[in-house]
Amino acid sequence: MNSNRQHDLGWMLDEALRIPEAKHAILLSSDGLLMAHSAGITSDEADRHAAAMSGLQSLARANAAFCGSTEHSWQQTITEYDHGYVFLVAAGPRAYMAASAGHGVDVETMTHRLMELVQRLGKELTADLRIGELA
């Protein structure tokens, strides 16, 4: 993805983060490649987190059967830490959005904001299928 495209999507991520306690947001492909990031995080940090989030979404999908679902029905994962949350949301085929927020964030508002952004961006968040990758 070219840097202009990343900048356009990064601006949209910044807009979604305009709620108290929201910190950072990234867009990533299923194979962990960074597609865009918000202004408050460096590209190097965003790259590292994109790789980690790729693993997290893979684990979440693999555990879907635990609640009687299929891996294709996974929508989001929220992980709570001592000082905040990480939100990981399906953003289209082979694309995901991750965001972080402090512990005081309104989890419902944050989740709603992320879902609105996913719907607003639609095809913008869909990662292209890589050569050799199965659909």
Side-chain angles (χ1 to χ4, degrees):
M1 179 175 283
N2 69 39
S3 62
N4 287 339
R5 189 69 169 158
Q6 284 186 2
H7 177 72
D8 290 345
L9 295 176
W11 178 84
M12 291 181 173
L13 292 173
D14 291 335
E15 288 291 314
L17 292 176
R18 291 191 177 173
I19 62 171
E21 297 281 329
K23 294 181 179 182
H24 309 296
I26 59 174
L27 297 175
L28 61 135
S29 64
S30 60
D31 55 359
L33 295 178
L34 181 65
M35 297 166 66
H37 63 86
S38 59
I41 188 170
T42 67
S43 292
D44 287 343
E45 290 175 305
D47 276 333
R48 184 171 46 88
H49 291 297
M53 293 300 165
S54 176
L56 183 57
Q57 66 80 25
S58 180
L59 288 171
R61 287 181 182 283
N63 285 319
F66 192 61
C67 70
S69 298
T70 68
E71 70 177 57
H72 299 292
S73 63
W74 174 82
Q75 296 298 311
Q76 68 179 341
T77 297
I78 302 171
T79 307
E80 182 176 6
Y81 298 92
D82 287 342
H83 298 288
Y85 297 90
V86 170
F87 301 81
L88 181 60
V89 179
R94 297 172 302 282
Y96 307 94
M97 181 170 32
S100 63
H103 208 266
V105 73
D106 182 322
V107 172
E108 185 176 345
T109 300
M110 185 73 170
T111 301
H112 180 73
R113 234 351 138 77
L114 296 175
M115 293 299 184
E116 279 183 337
L117 180 59
V118 166
Q119 294 212 352
R120 188 171 142 217
L121 295 177
K123 292 183 181 182
E124 298 292 334
L125 299 181
T126 302
D128 294 331
L129 187 63
R130 295 181 164 275
I131 296 172
E133 183 179 18
L134 298 176

